[in-house]
Amino acid sequence: MRERKRDVLELLGAARHTWIASGDGGGPHLIPLACVWDGTRVAMSTRAASRTVRNLRRPGRARLAFGSPVDVVLVDGDVAIAEPDAVPAETRAALAELPLNPERVPGCVYLFVTPRRVQAWRHMGEMADREVMTNGRWVV
């Protein structure tokens, strides 16, 4: 399990894209977004008027999917939506590589997902022990 947690943290640190799932009364919505892991949360940016942002304003929760079908990491977490001026300068500098950077693209906001539950597996044999974070705490 310790190795799997290490693998998850390595994948999050290296990932530059994720799939983010949100939903509303009309059903689920899934899109890819560029991302950056800051060690405690996944940061992304998108247009403030997007369906994703509208969906996330109410429940404030999302699911992120990383990896491939043979190396899956799912992150369920709390979402904070932030206008550019509400984010500290050092954080904005760390997120400068995001393609829809609110510093350069008007009408964009930051999305920060703080993991509450993380599941990870590579094959059916790992399904039973796939939960590596529960209630915001690493299992190992």
Side-chain angles (χ1 to χ4, degrees), residues 20 40-44 62 64 75-80 111-115:
I20 182 168
T40 60
R41 59 193 181 166
V42 179
M44 298 156 283
L64 306 177
V75 175
D76 295 323
D78 299 324
V79 179
L111 304 175
F112 296 100
V113 176
T114 302

Side-chain angles (χ1 to χ4, degrees), residues 43-114:
M44 298 156 283
S45 60
T46 193
R47 299 198 185 277
S50 70
R51 179 175 174 189
T52 298
V53 172
R54 285 193 312 271
N55 289 351
L56 295 174
R57 287 201 189 276
R58 290 229 169 136
R61 297 201 37 99
R63 171 169 278 183
L64 306 177
F66 296 90
S68 70
V70 294
D71 193 9
V72 178
V73 174
L74 299 178
V75 175
D76 295 323
D78 299 324
V79 179
I81 301 168
E83 296 293 333
D85 58 353
V87 176
E90 62 274 5
T91 302
R92 291 194 317 268
L95 304 177
E97 67 188 67
L98 293 173
L100 287 177
N101 186 318
E103 299 284 317
R104 295 185 313 271
V105 183
C108 288
V109 293
Y110 291 106
L111 304 175
F112 296 100
V113 176
T114 302

Side-chain angles (χ1 to χ4, degrees), residues 22-45:
S22 62
D24 62 12
H29 182 64
L30 179 70
I31 64 164
L33 286 179
C35 67
V36 175
W37 170 253
D38 72 3
T40 60
R41 59 193 181 166
V42 179
M44 298 156 283
S45 60

